[in-house]
Amino acid sequence: MSESSNDFGRLNKPRSKKLNTKVDFTAMVSISFLLIIFFMVTIELAKPKSMSLGLPDTGGDITCGISCGPRPDRVITILLDDNNKIITYQGLLEYPDDKPKTLSYGKEGIRKELLTKNKMITEQLGDRDRGAIVIIKPSKNSNFGNLVSILDEMAITNIQTYNVVNYFTPGENNLLAMH
């Protein structure tokens, strides 16, 4: 009987329970996604960024050994003055293609002039993509509304190449004083 008590003791010996361990990886997955997004953003921000510089085409005319700029007959200069006055000329002021004109805003004024000049320039060059180059020069006497109106005219007439400049040559100052 003593043996049986020993066997009984061995059979009733408490065994360690094997527990099923479950690990919750939800937090680790969240952190992993945050780290992936962080590294993707930092890699994208570390790439060098550049902006294309759109310079006017010279039109193949090279007169000084290097490219001297656009052909003067493509350039239309618009001078904005007070009292909604617009003075425009094509080419260089010293050698204009036309006499300087005083125009008004609207359909029969500057818009008509820009449309006819742009059409004439594109027909001369034979290239639809290369039209007029407009230089807009607001004077100190012009107001902001005039500048906005002339920029609207650029969009309406579909002239792609234009620039706003605040530099006046002495000849342009004389032209504004005369008109």
Side-chain angles (χ1 to χ4, degrees):
M1 286 225 172
S2 68
E3 285 182 29
S4 64
S5 68
N6 268 347
D7 288 338
F8 182 75
R10 238 188 281 169
L11 292 176
N12 288 338
K13 191 175 184 183
R15 287 187 154 187
S16 62
K17 260 187 166 179
K18 300 227 178 187
L19 298 174
N20 268 342
T21 57
K22 291 184 180 180
V23 178
D24 189 13
F25 287 108
T26 307
M28 187 182 293
V29 169
S30 297
I31 289 175
S32 300
F33 278 121
L34 286 174
L35 285 173
I36 289 170
I37 291 170
F38 172 76
F39 286 120
M40 287 173 59
V41 168
T42 55
I43 288 171
E44 189 63 32
L45 292 177
K47 290 180 183 175
K49 304 285 185 217
S50 65
M51 186 171 85
S52 64
L53 180 62
L55 296 174
D57 187 18
T58 61
D61 292 344
I62 300 175
T63 58
C64 60
I66 59 169
S67 175
C68 297
R71 293 173 39 170
D73 58 342
R74 285 182 65 194
V75 177
I76 301 170
T77 304
I78 299 174
L79 307 174
L80 304 177
D81 204 8
D82 60 346
N83 298 328
N84 296 332
K85 186 168 54 169
I86 300 173
I87 300 171
T88 181
Y89 63 91
Q90 183 178 357
L92 301 174
L93 183 59
E94 295 80 22
Y95 310 105
D97 293 348
D98 294 335
K99 288 189 338 185
K101 298 178 186 176
T102 302
L103 301 170
S104 63
Y105 290 95
K107 189 176 187 179
E108 293 301 318
I110 188 69
R111 187 178 310 165
K112 183 177 178 182
E113 181 75 12
L114 287 173
L115 286 170
T116 57
K117 293 285 185 182
N118 194 31
K119 183 177 179 184
M120 183 183 68
I121 291 169
T122 53
E123 286 174 356
Q124 277 180 345
L125 296 175
D127 189 359
R128 288 186 347 198
D129 297 330
R130 290 179 31 212
I133 299 170
V134 178
I135 300 173
I136 303 167
K137 295 185 175 189
S139 70
K140 292 179 182 176
N141 298 331
S142 69
N143 58 31
F144 186 72
N146 292 344
L147 181 61
V148 171
S149 296
I150 202 68
L151 292 176
D152 287 342
E153 295 295 336
M154 293 295 116
I156 292 168
T157 57
N158 200 23
I159 293 179
Q160 300 296 317
T161 309
Y162 61 89
N163 195 1
V164 179
V165 180
N166 62 357
Y167 172 75
F168 283 87
T169 63
E172 289 170 340
N173 284 329
N174 293 338
L175 185 63
L176 284 174
M178 287 179 7
H179 282 86

